[in-house]
Amino acid sequence: MSTVILISLSVMVLALCLTFIRLFRGPSLPDRVVALELFSSILVGIIGVVAVAVDVALLLDVAIVVALMGFMTTIGFARFLERGGRRDD
């Protein structure tokens, strides 16, 4: 693999680990929702870089599905909070 791909994957994995920590330590539910959205976005980036590295276009379809799932999860949490769901902020 190229050096650029390895560096970008390393940085994204580090960001994924830091986001994972924020997901569990977040002081409020909205912080956790934002961390979950960021987690899925970073995951889409990692899948995209791996797709370019191994030259498999099918992985881009997987990245699209993960992005849509992350978006729908965020919409679901927003509707939950809007309707008076649990708030601890």
Side-chain angles (χ1 to χ4, degrees):
M1 280 198 269
S2 170
T3 305
V4 174
I5 290 175
L6 288 176
I7 291 172
S8 62
L9 280 176
S10 300
V11 169
M12 284 193 274
V13 166
L14 177 65
L16 197 65
C17 292
L18 293 174
T19 303
F20 194 70
I21 291 170
R22 174 52 66 189
L23 185 63
F24 283 107
R25 291 188 50 181
S28 65
L29 186 60
D31 287 332
R32 289 186 172 117
V33 171
V34 170
L36 187 64
E37 177 68 25
L38 181 62
F39 191 86
S40 67
S41 297
I42 295 170
L43 193 61
V44 167
I46 289 174
I47 293 171
V49 170
V50 169
V52 169
V54 297
D55 198 28
V56 176
L58 186 63
L59 287 176
L60 296 176
D61 294 336
V62 173
I64 291 171
V65 170
V66 170
L68 288 174
M69 294 288 288
F71 176 72
M72 294 304 292
T73 303
T74 303
I75 296 297
F77 275 123
R79 289 194 62 161
F80 173 72
L81 292 175
E82 182 183 65
R83 293 183 180 200
R86 191 190 87 154
R87 292 191 64 113
D88 56 353
D89 49 41

